[in-house]
Amino acid sequence: MELTMDAQDDPTPWSLPANPTPAAPEVAAALLDVGLPGRGYFSELGVVRRKPARPDAPPTLSKSCTDKIALKQSTSLLNAAASLLLDPRNAYLSTLVLPESQHVPAATTRAFSSTGRMASLVHDKTNAWPSGYLFRPFQVHTASREFEWSRRSGQPGQTLIPCNLSALYTPQRQEVIINGSLQGRKQGDVKGASAVSRRAMWSAVAGVVRQLEHDACPEISQLVGTIAESREYASLKQSPLLLERQQVKDIAKRNALCGWVKNVADDSFNID
């Protein structure tokens, strides 16, 4: 937030637009109840914020990257589908690297550390969390070398426009993503889903489970049943196998990330 404030010609908190872009009815109803702030209200520090954060952006219940990363210190980097197969103990972020020029120690301490807003989740209070979950704050390191194409590389008075392309690379797969879809695919086309999208990861987990369906182990049988019965991503997340993960999320949101509102209307997809 300090960086956003410093970037403004006038640091006065932005007011809400007179005629905001309409949101989906269920999102609009939730926003009326909670009013998740975007970049405005600079005096409110440590609160959960929405994205997109611009005042002219459509209202959403999607949380800022800072808030999502803060939550991952409790739930691990695994999403719901991956948590059905993998133990979270070795899936926690250990280090966050930020550009030295953009690091505000007071802000990262407030957002992530055990002495900031996450203080209620310190180790001695989370020993009772189930299934290997634990509040594991990461270290914040800085890098002095600037990215060649960062917004700070421009000349005085020069306006730099961010690129809307994202690149994903692994030894097995390379992708170029535009607005959440693979380059060359229409937005919303299921064939345009990235390999790291929730739908693709759910499908990958289902593929692994199908290979195990003849195993007589009770745990495997329960897992096979969960995958078979989950018609939508929302129902998958409500599976009894993910109950302990949900409990950890609820604890973190209730005690540290106050104001977090459950996102709606984005988990009704399936893998059929």
Side-chain angles (χ1 to χ4, degrees):
M1 183 53 65
E2 282 84 348
L3 295 175
T4 300
M5 295 164 64
D6 290 343
Q8 308 306 311
D9 294 330
D10 178 3
T12 303
W14 300 337
S15 59
L16 294 175
N19 297 300
T21 304
E26 57 271 36
V27 174
L31 285 171
L32 285 174
D33 291 336
V34 298
L36 282 177
R39 292 179 183 171
Y41 308 102
F42 294 154
S43 60
E44 298 295 323
L45 300 177
V47 300
V48 174
R49 294 180 178 273
R50 63 174 168 83
K51 70 173 186 181
R54 300 188 316 274
D56 60 339
T60 74
L61 291 176
S62 183
K63 314 307 180 297
S64 73
C65 294
T66 297
D67 295 317
K68 290 180 179 179
I69 294 173
L71 180 61
K72 292 297 184 182
Q73 293 182 117
S74 297
T75 62
S76 83
L77 295 174
L78 302 177
N79 72 347
S83 297
L84 292 170
L85 294 179
L86 304 175
D87 191 300
R89 290 177 177 85
N90 295 318
Y92 283 88
L93 190 65
S94 62
T95 305
L96 179 68
V97 181
L98 299 173
E100 189 175 81
S101 63
Q102 299 296 287
H103 180 223
V104 181
T108 54
T109 297
R110 180 179 65 244
F112 304 122
S113 81
S114 58
T115 59
R117 63 176 177 172
M118 312 299 287
S120 61
L121 305 180
V122 291
H123 179 78
D124 61 350
K125 295 182 180 180
T126 58
N127 283 329
W129 284 6
S131 302
Y133 288 106
L134 193 68
F135 172 59
R136 297 186 181 181
F138 46 70
Q139 294 183 326
V140 178
H141 291 176
T142 60
S144 58
R145 183 176 179 179
E146 284 283 354
F147 175 53
E148 181 180 359
W149 305 108
S150 78
R151 68 182 64 184
R152 294 172 296 282
S153 65
Q155 300 299 317
Q158 183 180 19
T159 300
L160 299 181
I161 301 175
C163 179
N164 66 342
L165 299 180
S166 299
L168 181 149
Y169 174 85
T170 72
Q172 290 76 36
R173 187 179 181 90
Q174 300 82 45
E175 294 180 352
V176 176
I177 305 169
I178 304 177
N179 295 327
S181 298
L182 296 179
Q183 187 176 34
R185 293 286 185 181
K186 291 183 179 180
Q187 195 166 7
D189 182 355
V190 295
K191 294 182 179 179
S194 166
V196 294
S197 67
R198 291 175 298 170
R199 186 181 188 279
M201 286 193 279
W202 177 15
S203 180
V205 168
V208 172
V209 171
R210 282 193 290 270
Q211 299 295 318
L212 304 173
E213 61 184 357
H214 299 298
D215 194 308
C217 174
E219 290 81 2
I220 296 298
S221 297
Q222 186 179 12
L223 180 57
V224 171
T226 294
I227 294 296
E229 295 167 5
S230 300
R231 310 315 304 168
E232 294 184 341
Y233 194 71
S235 60
L236 177 74
K237 292 194 298 182
Q238 295 169 4
S239 163
L241 293 178
L242 294 173
L243 177 61
E244 293 176 340
R245 179 179 184 271
Q246 185 59 52
Q247 290 173 340
V248 169
K249 290 178 67 175
D250 291 342
I251 291 171
K253 294 173 184 178
R254 181 173 62 250
N255 296 332
L257 300 171
C258 301
W260 188 293
V261 184
K262 183 178 180 180
N263 207 344
V264 293
D266 76 332
D267 54 7
S268 59
F269 58 90
N270 57 51
I271 56 174
D272 294 335

